[in-house]
Amino acid sequence: MIKILLMIAGLIWCSGASATTNQVPDFALIDHQGRFHQLSRYADQRAVVVFVCSPDCGAREAALSEIVSLHKRFQGAPVRFMVLVPDSGQTRAGLSDLARRMDTDTPFLLDSSQLVSDALDFTRGDEVLVINPARGDIIYRGGVGLYQGNAMQQALAANLPGMSSHLHYVVHSVVRGEPFIDSPSPSEGEPLVLDQIEEVRAQSITYEHDVAPILIDRCVGCHQAQGVAPWVMDGHRMVQGWSGMIRETLLTRRMPPGQIDYDDAGRFADVHHISDEEMRILMRWIETGASRNESAPDPLAELEPGASEWELGEPDLVIDFPAHKVPANGVLDYVFVPLEIGLTEDKWVSAYAFDVDEKSALHHVIVYTQDARQQRQNASGGGSRTNFGGYAPGRGHIELDPDTGILLKRDMRFMIQFHYTTIGRELTDNSRLGLYFHDAPPAQVLERTAVMNGEFVIPPGVREYPVTAKTLIPDDSYLYSFAPHMHYRGKHIRFRAVFPDGSEEGLLSIPNFQHNWQMVYRLREPVFLPAGTEIVAEGAFDNSRFNPLNPDPSQEVEWGDQVWDEMFLAWMRIGEAR
């Protein structure tokens, strides 16, 4: 009967793999629960269903209810459902309320920049895309197509019991690897108005006045000579040549690096964050050709090099690390080296910076202090010591709050831990540490403590292996910063404070942890932690083949020093409340 129906209707019978050659770009967003979603990371799924929800969709759209129903129906099947919300007046809290009212854990992704909705070419408020995430192919674009009495719908429903919509039929077919009727149902929603996108497209955006200032403020710090980035933003032509990659990294939130949850960005100083408006300006400039006024000066080309080779200016004290010869190949153990500081009086450190010579080989440096007592206890492997600070990619310098400092006593020395990795050629690293001091003792002396868990075994191939850690704050204290640390399989991590009265406060969330960027996140305003407060870290590892950084998904993974092992910890700067 279905074959006869198809012949009569003159419809096309297609397979999900080849229904269309149209493609969508990779993209990433955070959902209403603070979880990170990236299209390409669902490459093991047969399909990703993206439904765009107009501003009032939660109030009246039956199509949204169908999406929620299908999400529940296909639990465990190789298909993911997402609701994309490009409403400039919506909030994540509002979406959380909507999800609670609908009793669903379907991800609601707030597209606050509206760039993803625009890149996916949505035009109506209840349109749906079914995407092959491995290739970015569009399997289906159209309406949800609720079965509501149409003769064709009735015929399909009669022959496919339980079907509730054309989308249901498409997803059912794709999951089973079966062909389906390529007859898109029309979208019945209102035209989708991307007001923020329209506003930026109505502007006259220029490289000189609009784009270059954003690049200087957000990007040039890394994209400069001797910087950590792989290319230098030294002029328009270079940026224009990389404009396609810039677009990709903005849509996938890969750059700026080390991003925390957007909702947390205003709470922290010195974070790598780019605003929605700035992203829209860059994307508009790129889509119109990434050109410039050739007769006007190029702001990037005219940038003057800093007066000092140090990021924070000339240090008060420079400590030269011993030269380290790194072989071309092999696995290198940690190296501990004692270094005298040479102080004649106590000093309070206001900031420190690393001048790293061989960034490609120096994986990290951890600086410890040892007072006279600890030096007498100097056993093998670095001996008794107190953590001072460290370097890792993305953490080249640390500035402390103006009224805080780290005490260096005159009888202290440093114990330096070096970790090098081989890169296929021999080299010699000559790195340095620069210290900056307060002129007078600060109001608050900072100490370091940690929350960590080393008792985990990550099974091979698992995509989401949860790990938690807790630490108790014994005295009234203020919390100033976090420095989370995981290795290649680190996926996400968040922190909260559980106060003695049972109340809680979220402190920091990193939905898309990246081992290549080991950041320090410094609070603009310290958080008071009464004695007995518990700091809880909750995170997960991805040991699957879909983690692009995973060195070997076939291996069971435990705590260990090397990057192919794992760690789960975060250093915190705290100061005793006075």
Side-chain angles (χ1 to χ4, degrees), residues 23-31 36-40 42 48-53 82-87 107-124 127-129 131 138 141 192-198 200-201 246-255 259 262 275-277 279-281 283-284 287:
Q23 289 189 310
V24 298
D26 195 11
F27 67 88
L29 286 170
I30 298 174
D31 72 11
F36 181 85
H37 298 268
Q38 185 170 348
L39 176 64
S40 60
Y42 295 121
V48 170
V49 178
V50 183
F51 173 79
V52 68
C53 189
M82 303 176 183
V83 178
L84 187 63
V85 183
D87 178 7
F108 284 76
L109 280 62
L110 180 58
D111 183 17
S112 57
S113 73
Q114 299 181 343
L115 290 171
V116 172
S117 301
D118 183 60
L120 298 183
D121 200 26
F122 282 120
T123 59
R124 305 194 75 85
E127 195 174 357
V128 66
L129 276 178
I131 305 167
I138 298 175
R141 180 192 288 274
L192 185 65
V193 178
L194 301 179
D195 56 330
Q196 301 300 311
I197 296 292
E198 291 184 0
V200 76
R201 284 179 176 159
I246 293 173
R247 180 178 186 271
E248 184 271 332
T249 60
L250 290 175
L251 280 176
T252 58
R253 297 281 178 167
R254 189 153 57 90
M255 288 286 147
Q259 292 181 45
Y262 340 134
S275 70
D276 287 344
E277 180 181 7
M279 286 196 295
R280 285 191 291 265
I281 289 172
M283 296 289 269
R284 175 57 177 165
E287 75 178 15

Coordinates of all heavy atoms in Angstrom, one line a residue, residues 23-31 36-40 42 48-53 82-87 107-124 127-129 131 138 141 192-198 200-201 246-255 259 262 275-277 279-281 283-284 287:
Q23 N 25.0 21.2 3.7 CA 25.7 20.9 5.0 C 25.5 22.1 5.9 O 25.2 23.2 5.5 CB 27.2 20.7 4.7 CG 27.4 19.3 4.0 CD 28.9 19.0 4.0 OE1 29.7 19.9 3.6 NE2 29.3 17.9 4.4
V24 N 25.8 21.9 7.2 CA 25.8 22.9 8.2 C 27.2 23.0 8.8 O 27.9 22.0 8.8 CB 24.8 22.7 9.3 CG1 23.4 22.7 8.7 CG2 25.0 21.4 10.0
P25 N 27.6 24.1 9.4 CA 28.9 24.2 10.0 C 28.8 23.6 11.4 O 27.8 23.4 12.0 CB 29.2 25.7 10.1 CG 27.8 26.3 10.2 CD 27.0 25.4 9.3
D26 N 30.0 23.2 11.9 CA 30.0 22.7 13.3 C 29.7 23.9 14.2 O 30.0 25.1 13.9 CB 31.5 22.2 13.6 CG 31.5 21.4 14.9 OD1 30.4 21.0 15.5 OD2 32.6 21.1 15.3
F27 N 29.1 23.6 15.4 CA 28.8 24.7 16.3 C 28.7 24.1 17.7 O 28.7 22.9 17.9 CB 27.4 25.3 16.0 CG 26.2 24.4 16.2 CD1 25.6 24.2 17.4 CD2 25.8 23.6 15.1 CE1 24.5 23.4 17.5 CE2 24.7 22.7 15.3 CZ 24.1 22.6 16.5
A28 N 28.8 25.0 18.7 CA 28.7 24.6 20.1 C 28.0 25.7 20.9 O 28.1 26.9 20.7 CB 30.1 24.4 20.7
L29 N 27.2 25.2 21.9 CA 26.5 26.1 22.8 C 26.3 25.4 24.2 O 26.5 24.2 24.3 CB 25.1 26.5 22.3 CG 25.0 27.5 21.1 CD1 23.6 27.5 20.6 CD2 25.5 28.8 21.6
I30 N 26.0 26.1 25.2 CA 25.7 25.6 26.5 C 24.2 25.5 26.7 O 23.5 26.5 26.4 CB 26.4 26.5 27.6 CG1 27.9 26.5 27.4 CG2 26.1 26.0 29.0 CD1 28.6 27.5 28.3
D31 N 23.7 24.5 27.3 CA 22.3 24.3 27.5 C 21.8 24.9 28.9 O 22.6 25.5 29.6 CB 21.9 22.8 27.4 CG 22.3 22.0 28.6 OD1 22.8 22.5 29.6 OD2 22.2 20.7 28.5
F36 N 27.8 21.6 28.0 CA 28.4 22.0 26.7 C 27.9 20.9 25.7 O 28.0 19.7 25.9 CB 29.9 22.0 26.8 CG 30.6 22.4 25.6 CD1 30.8 23.8 25.2 CD2 31.1 21.5 24.7 CE1 31.4 24.1 24.1 CE2 31.8 21.8 23.6 CZ 32.0 23.2 23.2
H37 N 27.5 21.4 24.5 CA 27.1 20.6 23.4 C 27.8 21.1 22.1 O 27.7 22.3 21.8 CB 25.6 20.6 23.2 CG 24.8 20.1 24.4 ND1 24.4 18.8 24.5 CD2 24.3 20.8 25.5 CE1 23.7 18.6 25.6 NE2 23.7 19.8 26.2
Q38 N 28.5 20.2 21.4 CA 29.1 20.5 20.1 C 28.7 19.5 19.1 O 28.7 18.2 19.4 CB 30.6 20.5 20.3 CG 31.3 21.0 19.0 CD 32.8 21.2 19.2 OE1 33.3 21.3 20.3 NE2 33.5 21.4 18.1
L39 N 28.2 19.9 18.0 CA 27.7 19.0 17.0 C 28.6 17.9 16.6 O 28.3 16.7 16.6 CB 27.3 19.8 15.7 CG 26.8 19.0 14.5 CD1 25.5 18.3 14.8 CD2 26.7 19.9 13.3
S40 N 29.9 18.2 16.4 CA 30.8 17.2 15.9 C 31.2 16.2 17.0 O 31.7 15.1 16.6 CB 32.1 17.9 15.4 OG 32.7 18.6 16.5
Y42 N 29.1 14.5 18.6 CA 28.1 13.5 18.5 C 28.2 12.7 17.2 O 27.3 12.2 16.7 CB 26.7 14.1 18.6 CG 26.4 14.8 19.9 CD1 26.1 16.1 20.0 CD2 26.5 14.1 21.1 CE1 25.9 16.8 21.2 CE2 26.3 14.7 22.3 CZ 25.9 16.0 22.4 OH 25.7 16.6 23.6
V48 N 21.4 14.2 14.7 CA 21.2 15.2 15.8 C 20.0 16.1 15.2 O 20.0 16.6 14.1 CB 22.4 16.1 16.0 CG1 22.0 17.3 16.9 CG2 23.5 15.4 16.6
V49 N 19.0 16.2 16.1 CA 17.8 16.9 15.7 C 17.8 18.3 16.4 O 17.9 18.3 17.6 CB 16.5 16.2 16.1 CG1 15.2 17.0 15.8 CG2 16.5 14.8 15.4
V50 N 17.8 19.3 15.6 CA 17.8 20.7 16.2 C 16.5 21.4 15.8 O 16.2 21.6 14.6 CB 19.0 21.5 15.6 CG1 19.1 22.9 16.3 CG2 20.3 20.8 15.9
F51 N 15.8 21.8 16.9 CA 14.5 22.5 16.7 C 14.7 23.9 17.1 O 15.1 24.1 18.3 CB 13.4 21.8 17.5 CG 12.1 22.5 17.6 CD1 11.2 22.4 16.5 CD2 11.7 23.2 18.6 CE1 10.0 23.0 16.5 CE2 10.5 23.9 18.7 CZ 9.6 23.8 17.6
V52 N 14.4 24.9 16.3 CA 14.5 26.3 16.7 C 13.2 26.7 17.3 O 12.1 26.5 16.7 CB 14.9 27.1 15.5 CG1 13.9 27.3 14.4 CG2 15.4 28.5 16.0
C53 N 13.3 27.4 18.4 CA 12.1 27.7 19.2 C 11.9 29.2 19.2 O 12.8 30.0 19.6 CB 12.2 27.2 20.6 SG 10.8 27.3 21.6
M82 N 17.9 18.6 20.4 CA 18.3 19.9 21.0 C 17.2 20.9 20.6 O 16.7 20.9 19.5 CB 19.6 20.4 20.5 CG 20.8 19.5 20.7 SD 22.3 20.1 19.9 CE 23.4 18.8 20.3
V83 N 16.9 21.8 21.6 CA 16.0 22.9 21.3 C 16.9 24.2 21.3 O 17.5 24.5 22.3 CB 14.9 23.1 22.3 CG1 14.0 24.3 22.0 CG2 14.1 21.8 22.3
L84 N 16.9 24.9 20.2 CA 17.7 26.1 20.0 C 16.8 27.3 20.2 O 15.8 27.5 19.5 CB 18.3 26.1 18.6 CG 19.4 27.1 18.2 CD1 20.6 27.0 19.1 CD2 19.7 27.0 16.7
V85 N 17.3 28.2 21.1 CA 16.4 29.4 21.4 C 17.3 30.7 21.1 O 18.1 31.0 21.9 CB 16.0 29.3 22.9 CG1 15.1 30.5 23.2 CG2 15.3 28.0 23.2
P86 N 17.0 31.3 20.0 CA 17.7 32.6 19.7 C 17.0 33.8 20.2 O 17.2 34.9 19.6 CB 17.8 32.5 18.2 CG 16.5 31.9 17.8 CD 16.2 30.9 18.9
D87 N 16.2 33.7 21.2 CA 15.4 34.9 21.7 C 16.3 35.8 22.5 O 16.8 35.4 23.6 CB 14.2 34.3 22.5 CG 13.4 35.4 23.1 OD1 13.6 36.6 22.8 OD2 12.5 35.1 23.9
P107 N 17.9 19.2 26.1 CA 18.7 20.3 26.2 C 18.1 21.6 25.5 O 17.8 21.5 24.3 CB 20.0 19.9 25.5 CG 20.0 18.4 25.4 CD 18.6 18.1 25.3
F108 N 18.0 22.6 26.2 CA 17.5 23.9 25.7 C 18.8 24.8 25.6 O 19.3 25.2 26.6 CB 16.5 24.6 26.6 CG 15.1 24.0 26.5 CD1 14.8 22.7 27.1 CD2 14.1 24.6 25.8 CE1 13.6 22.2 27.0 CE2 12.8 24.0 25.7 CZ 12.6 22.8 26.3
L109 N 19.2 25.1 24.3 CA 20.4 25.9 24.1 C 20.1 27.3 23.8 O 19.4 27.6 22.8 CB 21.2 25.3 22.9 CG 22.0 24.0 23.2 CD1 21.2 22.8 23.6 CD2 22.8 23.6 21.9
L110 N 20.5 28.2 24.7 CA 20.3 29.6 24.5 C 21.3 30.2 23.5 O 22.5 30.3 23.9 CB 20.3 30.4 25.8 CG 20.0 31.9 25.8 CD1 18.7 32.2 25.1 CD2 20.1 32.5 27.1
D111 N 20.9 30.5 22.3 CA 21.7 31.1 21.3 C 21.7 32.6 21.5 O 21.1 33.3 20.7 CB 21.3 30.7 19.9 CG 22.2 31.1 18.8 OD1 23.3 31.5 19.1 OD2 21.7 31.1 17.7
S112 N 22.3 33.1 22.5 CA 22.2 34.5 22.8 C 22.8 35.4 21.8 O 22.4 36.6 21.6 CB 22.8 34.8 24.2 OG 24.2 34.4 24.2
S113 N 23.9 35.0 21.1 CA 24.5 35.7 20.0 C 23.6 35.6 18.7 O 23.8 36.5 17.8 CB 25.9 35.3 19.7 OG 25.9 34.0 19.1
Q114 N 22.8 34.6 18.6 CA 22.0 34.3 17.4 C 22.8 33.9 16.2 O 22.3 33.7 15.1 CB 21.1 35.5 17.0 CG 20.1 35.9 18.1 CD 19.2 37.0 17.7 OE1 19.5 37.8 16.8 NE2 18.1 37.2 18.5
L115 N 24.1 33.7 16.4 CA 25.0 33.3 15.3 C 24.8 31.9 14.9 O 24.9 31.6 13.7 CB 26.5 33.5 15.8 CG 26.9 35.0 15.9 CD1 28.3 35.1 16.6 CD2 26.9 35.7 14.6
V116 N 24.5 31.0 15.8 CA 24.3 29.6 15.4 C 23.0 29.5 14.6 O 23.0 28.8 13.6 CB 24.3 28.7 16.7 CG1 23.8 27.3 16.3 CG2 25.6 28.7 17.4
S117 N 21.9 30.1 15.1 CA 20.7 30.0 14.4 C 20.8 30.6 13.0 O 20.3 30.1 12.0 CB 19.6 30.8 15.1 OG 19.4 30.3 16.4
D118 N 21.6 31.7 12.8 CA 21.9 32.3 11.5 C 22.7 31.3 10.7 O 22.4 31.2 9.5 CB 22.6 33.6 11.7 CG 22.8 34.3 10.4 OD1 21.8 34.6 9.7 OD2 23.9 34.6 10.1
A119 N 23.7 30.7 11.2 CA 24.6 29.8 10.5 C 23.9 28.6 10.0 O 24.2 28.0 8.9 CB 25.8 29.4 11.3
L120 N 22.9 28.2 10.8 CA 22.1 27.0 10.4 C 20.9 27.4 9.4 O 20.2 26.5 9.0 CB 21.5 26.3 11.6 CG 22.5 25.7 12.6 CD1 21.8 25.0 13.7 CD2 23.5 24.8 11.9
D121 N 20.8 28.7 9.1 CA 19.9 29.2 8.1 C 18.4 28.9 8.5 O 17.6 28.6 7.6 CB 20.2 28.6 6.7 CG 19.6 29.4 5.6 OD1 19.4 30.6 5.8 OD2 19.3 28.9 4.5
F122 N 18.1 29.0 9.8 CA 16.7 28.9 10.2 C 16.0 30.1 9.8 O 16.5 31.3 10.0 CB 16.6 28.7 11.7 CG 16.9 27.3 12.2 CD1 18.0 27.1 13.1 CD2 16.1 26.2 11.8 CE1 18.2 25.8 13.5 CE2 16.4 24.9 12.2 CZ 17.5 24.7 13.1
T123 N 14.7 30.0 9.3 CA 13.9 31.1 8.9 C 12.6 31.2 9.5 O 11.9 32.3 9.5 CB 13.7 31.0 7.3 OG1 13.0 29.8 7.0 CG2 15.1 31.1 6.6
R124 N 12.1 30.1 10.2 CA 10.8 30.2 10.8 C 10.9 29.6 12.3 O 11.8 28.9 12.6 CB 9.8 29.4 10.0 CG 9.6 29.8 8.6 CD 8.4 29.2 7.9 NE 7.2 29.9 8.3 CZ 6.7 31.1 7.8 NH1 7.4 31.6 6.8 NH2 5.6 31.6 8.2
E127 N 11.0 25.6 12.9 CA 11.7 24.8 11.9 C 12.6 23.7 12.6 O 13.1 24.0 13.7 CB 12.5 25.7 11.0 CG 13.0 25.0 9.7 CD 13.7 26.0 8.8 OE1 13.7 27.2 9.2 OE2 14.2 25.6 7.7
V128 N 12.8 22.6 11.9 CA 13.7 21.6 12.5 C 14.7 21.1 11.4 O 14.4 21.1 10.2 CB 12.8 20.4 13.0 CG1 12.1 19.7 11.8 CG2 13.6 19.4 13.8
L129 N 15.9 20.8 11.9 CA 16.9 20.2 11.1 C 17.3 18.8 11.7 O 17.4 18.7 12.9 CB 18.2 21.1 11.2 CG 18.3 22.3 10.2 CD1 19.6 23.0 10.5 CD2 18.2 21.8 8.8
I131 N 20.4 16.3 11.3 CA 21.7 16.5 10.8 C 22.5 15.2 11.0 O 22.4 14.6 12.1 CB 22.5 17.6 11.5 CG1 21.7 18.9 11.3 CG2 23.9 17.8 10.9 CD1 22.2 20.0 12.3
I138 N 22.8 17.7 6.0 CA 21.4 17.9 6.4 C 20.6 16.7 5.9 O 20.4 16.5 4.6 CB 20.8 19.2 5.9 CG1 21.6 20.4 6.4 CG2 19.3 19.3 6.2 CD1 21.1 21.7 5.8
R141 N 15.2 19.0 6.5 CA 14.8 20.4 6.9 C 13.4 20.6 6.6 O 12.9 20.4 5.5 CB 15.7 21.4 6.2 CG 15.4 22.8 6.7 CD 16.0 23.9 5.8 NE 17.4 24.0 5.9 CZ 18.1 24.7 6.8 NH1 17.4 25.4 7.7 NH2 19.4 24.7 6.8
L192 N 11.1 33.8 11.6 CA 12.1 33.9 12.7 C 12.8 35.2 12.6 O 13.4 35.5 11.5 CB 13.1 32.8 12.7 CG 14.0 32.7 13.9 CD1 13.3 32.5 15.2 CD2 15.1 31.6 13.7
V193 N 12.7 36.1 13.5 CA 13.3 37.4 13.5 C 14.6 37.3 14.4 O 14.5 37.2 15.7 CB 12.4 38.5 14.0 CG1 13.1 39.8 14.0 CG2 11.2 38.6 13.1
L194 N 15.7 37.4 13.8 CA 17.0 37.4 14.6 C 17.4 38.9 14.7 O 18.2 39.4 14.0 CB 18.1 36.6 13.8 CG 17.8 35.1 13.6 CD1 18.9 34.5 12.8 CD2 17.5 34.4 14.9
D195 N 16.8 39.5 15.7 CA 16.9 41.0 15.9 C 18.3 41.4 16.0 O 18.7 42.5 15.5 CB 16.0 41.5 17.0 CG 16.3 40.8 18.3 OD1 16.7 39.6 18.3 OD2 16.1 41.4 19.4
Q196 N 19.1 40.7 16.8 CA 20.5 41.1 17.0 C 21.4 41.0 15.7 O 22.2 41.8 15.5 CB 21.1 40.2 18.1 CG 20.4 40.3 19.5 CD 20.4 41.7 20.0 OE1 21.4 42.4 20.1 NE2 19.2 42.2 20.4
I197 N 21.1 39.9 15.0 CA 21.8 39.8 13.7 C 21.4 40.9 12.7 O 22.3 41.5 12.0 CB 21.5 38.4 13.1 CG1 22.0 37.3 14.0 CG2 22.1 38.3 11.7 CD1 23.5 37.2 14.0
E198 N 20.1 41.2 12.7 CA 19.6 42.2 11.8 C 20.2 43.6 12.2 O 20.6 44.4 11.3 CB 18.1 42.3 11.8 CG 17.4 41.1 11.1 CD 15.9 41.3 11.1 OE1 15.4 42.3 11.6 OE2 15.3 40.3 10.5
V200 N 23.2 44.2 13.6 CA 24.6 44.3 13.2 C 24.7 44.4 11.7 O 25.6 45.1 11.2 CB 25.4 43.1 13.8 CG1 25.2 41.8 13.0 CG2 26.9 43.5 13.8
R201 N 23.8 43.8 10.9 CA 23.9 43.8 9.5 C 23.5 45.2 9.0 O 23.8 45.6 7.8 CB 23.0 42.7 8.9 CG 23.7 41.4 9.0 CD 22.9 40.2 8.4 NE 23.7 39.0 8.4 CZ 23.1 37.8 8.4 NH1 21.8 37.7 8.3 NH2 23.9 36.7 8.5
I246 N 38.8 31.7 12.0 CA 38.2 32.5 13.1 C 36.7 32.3 13.2 O 36.2 32.1 14.3 CB 38.5 34.0 12.8 CG1 40.0 34.3 12.9 CG2 37.7 34.9 13.8 CD1 40.4 35.7 12.5
R247 N 36.0 32.2 12.1 CA 34.6 31.9 12.1 C 34.3 30.6 12.7 O 33.4 30.4 13.6 CB 34.0 31.9 10.7 CG 32.5 31.6 10.6 CD 32.1 31.7 9.1 NE 30.6 31.6 9.0 CZ 30.0 30.4 8.9 NH1 30.7 29.3 8.8 NH2 28.7 30.4 8.8
E248 N 35.1 29.5 12.3 CA 34.9 28.2 12.9 C 35.1 28.2 14.4 O 34.4 27.6 15.2 CB 35.8 27.2 12.2 CG 35.6 25.8 12.6 CD 36.5 25.4 13.8 OE1 37.5 26.0 14.0 OE2 36.1 24.5 14.6
T249 N 36.2 28.9 14.9 CA 36.5 28.8 16.3 C 35.5 29.6 17.1 O 35.3 29.3 18.3 CB 37.9 29.4 16.6 OG1 38.0 30.7 16.1 CG2 39.0 28.5 15.9
L250 N 34.9 30.6 16.5 CA 33.8 31.4 17.3 C 32.5 30.5 17.3 O 31.9 30.5 18.4 CB 33.5 32.7 16.6 CG 34.6 33.8 16.7 CD1 34.2 35.0 15.8 CD2 34.9 34.1 18.1
L251 N 32.1 29.9 16.2 CA 30.9 29.1 16.3 C 31.0 27.9 17.2 O 30.0 27.4 17.8 CB 30.6 28.6 14.8 CG 29.9 29.6 13.9 CD1 29.7 29.0 12.5 CD2 28.5 30.0 14.5
T252 N 32.2 27.3 17.3 CA 32.4 26.2 18.2 C 32.9 26.5 19.6 O 33.2 25.7 20.4 CB 33.4 25.2 17.6 OG1 34.7 25.9 17.4 CG2 32.9 24.6 16.2
R253 N 33.1 27.8 19.8 CA 33.5 28.3 21.1 C 34.9 27.8 21.5 O 35.3 27.6 22.7 CB 32.6 27.9 22.2 CG 31.2 28.6 22.1 CD 31.2 30.0 22.5 NE 29.9 30.6 22.3 CZ 29.5 31.8 22.9 NH1 30.4 32.5 23.6 NH2 28.3 32.3 22.6
R254 N 35.7 27.5 20.5 CA 37.1 27.1 20.7 C 38.0 28.2 21.0 O 39.1 28.0 21.7 CB 37.6 26.3 19.5 CG 38.9 25.6 19.6 CD 39.0 24.4 18.7 NE 38.9 24.7 17.3 CZ 39.9 25.1 16.5 NH1 41.1 25.1 17.0 NH2 39.7 25.3 15.2
M255 N 37.7 29.4 20.6 CA 38.4 30.6 20.9 C 37.4 31.7 21.3 O 36.3 31.8 20.8 CB 39.2 31.1 19.7 CG 40.4 30.2 19.3 SD 41.8 30.4 20.5 CE 42.5 28.8 20.6
Q259 N 37.5 29.0 28.0 CA 36.3 29.8 28.4 C 35.5 29.1 29.5 O 35.4 27.9 29.6 CB 35.3 29.9 27.2 CG 35.9 30.7 26.1 CD 34.9 30.8 24.9 OE1 33.7 31.0 25.1 NE2 35.4 30.7 23.7
Y262 N 29.4 31.2 30.2 CA 29.2 32.7 29.9 C 28.6 33.4 31.1 O 28.8 34.5 31.3 CB 28.4 32.9 28.7 CG 28.2 31.8 27.7 CD1 27.0 31.5 27.1 CD2 29.4 31.1 27.2 CE1 26.9 30.5 26.2 CE2 29.2 30.1 26.3 CZ 28.0 29.8 25.8 OH 27.8 28.8 24.8
S275 N 32.3 38.9 24.0 CA 30.9 39.2 24.1 C 30.2 38.8 22.9 O 30.7 38.6 21.8 CB 30.7 40.7 24.4 OG 30.9 41.5 23.3
D276 N 28.8 38.6 23.0 CA 28.0 38.3 21.9 C 28.1 39.4 20.8 O 28.2 39.1 19.6 CB 26.5 38.2 22.3 CG 26.3 36.9 23.1 OD1 27.1 36.0 23.0 OD2 25.2 36.8 23.8
E277 N 28.1 40.6 21.2 CA 28.2 41.8 20.3 C 29.5 41.7 19.5 O 29.5 41.9 18.3 CB 28.0 43.1 21.0 CG 28.1 44.3 20.0 CD 28.0 45.6 20.8 OE1 27.9 45.6 22.0 OE2 27.9 46.6 20.1
M279 N 31.3 39.1 18.9 CA 31.3 38.0 17.9 C 30.5 38.3 16.7 O 30.9 38.0 15.6 CB 30.8 36.7 18.6 CG 31.7 36.1 19.6 SD 31.2 34.4 20.0 CE 29.7 34.6 20.9
R280 N 29.3 39.0 16.9 CA 28.5 39.3 15.8 C 29.2 40.3 14.8 O 29.1 40.2 13.6 CB 27.2 40.0 16.3 CG 26.2 39.0 16.8 CD 24.9 39.6 17.0 NE 24.9 40.5 18.1 CZ 24.5 40.3 19.4 NH1 24.2 39.0 19.7 NH2 24.5 41.2 20.3
I281 N 30.0 41.2 15.4 CA 30.8 42.2 14.6 C 31.8 41.4 13.7 O 31.9 41.6 12.5 CB 31.4 43.2 15.4 CG1 30.4 44.2 16.0 CG2 32.5 44.0 14.6 CD1 30.9 45.2 17.0
M283 N 31.8 38.2 12.9 CA 31.2 37.3 11.9 C 30.6 38.1 10.7 O 30.7 37.7 9.6 CB 30.1 36.5 12.6 CG 30.7 35.6 13.7 SD 31.6 34.2 13.0 CE 30.2 33.0 12.8
R284 N 30.1 39.3 11.0 CA 29.5 40.1 9.9 C 30.7 40.6 9.0 O 30.5 40.5 7.8 CB 28.8 41.3 10.5 CG 28.3 42.3 9.5 CD 27.4 41.6 8.5 NE 26.8 42.6 7.5 CZ 26.2 42.3 6.4 NH1 26.1 41.0 6.1 NH2 25.8 43.2 5.5
E287 N 31.7 37.6 6.9 CA 30.8 37.2 5.8 C 30.7 38.2 4.7 O 30.2 37.9 3.6 CB 29.4 37.0 6.4 CG 28.6 38.2 6.8 CD 27.2 37.9 7.4 OE1 27.0 36.7 7.7 OE2 26.4 38.8 7.4

